[in-house]
Amino acid sequence: KAGVTQTPRYLIKTRGQQVTLSCSPISGHRSVSWYQQTPGQGLQFLFEYFSETQRNKGNFPGRFSGRQFSNSRSEMNVSTLELGDSALYLCASSSGQPGGTEAFFGQGTRLTVV
Amino acid sequence: DQQVKQNSPSLSVQEGRISILNCDYTNSMFDYFLWYKKYPAEGPTFLISISSIKDKNEDGRFTVFLNKSAKHLSLHIVPSQPGDSAVYFCAAMSEGNEKLTFGTGTRLTIIP
């Protein structure tokens, strides 16, 4: 069974630009969550999608958005990039069902904003 | 408000000995607790979890203990191996909510 795949692995963008990150979950998993990891803030929850609907949202500004497609693949978009958006962005895949506690993470996308 | 705390940023343990990583939480509504291991520039790898209705869960060299009254959990690794050197994150979640709330991590170094 293939794991969680995130593309691209590395990305360099300029302040003010926008970026789209992609995540393909484990086959059969319907829940995809996104996290931001920075040295200062640790791992912070961005949002979760289940069956193409945003089910949960963290405390991030509206510049951070996402969507999920019918095949459960998800994209995350960050508009008007700021230097502080430089981080490792992680996607997690899970069944999304009650009692299904394990979330499996992808390798992450390292975003650098210059 | 840090709902999940790992107060030890680092820990060094001799190979073959027991490693004990600690985690405290403040939200009594959490239903599950999980431990993840992470290498630099990679995603966290799931290790072991425990339901809030249990006080112990064991999987090979890894055992997690939960003390609900103290809102404290710990991960025991026995025996510790060099490949265990990584950052360990404690995380918590509530039933029906996929959001994981993470601690700040503990860097474990196993000394050969």
Side-chain angles (χ1 to χ4, degrees):
Chain A
K1 207 182 218 186
V4 181
T5 305
Q6 289 188 248
T7 56
R9 287 293 310 276
Y10 303 93
L11 209 46
I12 300 175
K13 289 286 188 178
T14 305
R15 258 185 311 175
Q17 285 187 311
Q18 68 94 27
V19 67
T20 300
L21 312 181
S22 179
C23 173
S24 292
I26 291 170
S27 177
H29 281 185
R30 294 165 65 191
S31 171
V32 173
S33 299
W34 289 88
Y35 293 82
Q36 181 196 64
Q37 186 185 22
T38 58
Q41 298 296 319
L43 279 149
Q44 302 285 315
F45 173 79
L46 281 153
F47 30 65
E48 183 232 348
Y49 285 86
F50 180 84
S51 292
E52 302 179 67
T53 302
Q54 188 181 86
R55 199 161 64 165
N56 223 325
K57 191 176 187 307
N59 297 323
F60 278 81
R63 300 185 297 106
F64 292 82
S65 63
R67 58 178 176 167
Q68 187 180 34
F69 302 94
S70 58
N71 62 358
S72 292
R73 189 177 72 85
S74 176
E75 286 182 348
M76 190 191 97
N77 185 275
V78 188
S79 62
T80 320
L81 283 165
E82 300 176 359
L83 295 178
D85 297 333
S86 295
L88 180 66
Y89 289 88
L90 293 159
C91 160
S93 156
S94 64
S95 68
Q97 302 300 326
T101 55
E102 295 92 3
F104 298 90
F105 285 81
Q107 300 257 50
T109 295
R110 168 70 64 185
L111 171 66
T112 302
V113 182
V114 297
Chain B
D1 175 30
Q2 193 72 27
Q3 295 188 61
V4 179
K5 300 176 188 179
Q6 292 176 258
N7 293 317
S8 298
S10 63
L11 175 68
S12 294
V13 174
Q14 207 76 34
E15 182 180 356
R17 300 286 190 113
I18 182 171
S19 293
I20 300 176
L21 298 113
N22 294 302
C23 178
D24 297 295
Y25 62 96
T26 57
N27 187 346
S28 57
M29 302 301 290
F30 287 136
D31 296 301
Y32 297 98
F33 302 90
L34 304 88
W35 284 95
Y36 284 85
K37 173 181 176 181
K38 189 178 184 299
Y39 296 114
E42 291 187 12
T45 301
F46 171 76
L47 284 174
I48 191 168
S49 65
I50 187 167
S51 163
S52 61
I53 62 173
K54 305 217 169 168
D55 54 21
K56 178 182 173 182
N57 188 26
E58 194 171 349
D59 184 0
R61 296 187 300 116
F62 302 95
T63 303
V64 57
F65 295 92
L66 175 62
N67 181 334
K68 279 185 70 176
S69 60
K71 293 192 176 72
H72 175 85
L73 63 153
S74 60
L75 173 69
H76 292 211
I77 307 173
V78 181
S80 299
Q81 300 173 353
D84 296 330
S85 294
V87 177
Y88 288 77
F89 288 94
C90 165
M93 65 184 290
S94 301
E95 181 72 71
N97 186 339
E98 297 298 312
K99 172 186 173 181
L100 288 167
T101 300
F102 283 90
T104 49
T106 296
R107 180 177 300 281
L108 175 65
T109 302
I110 304 302
I111 304 162

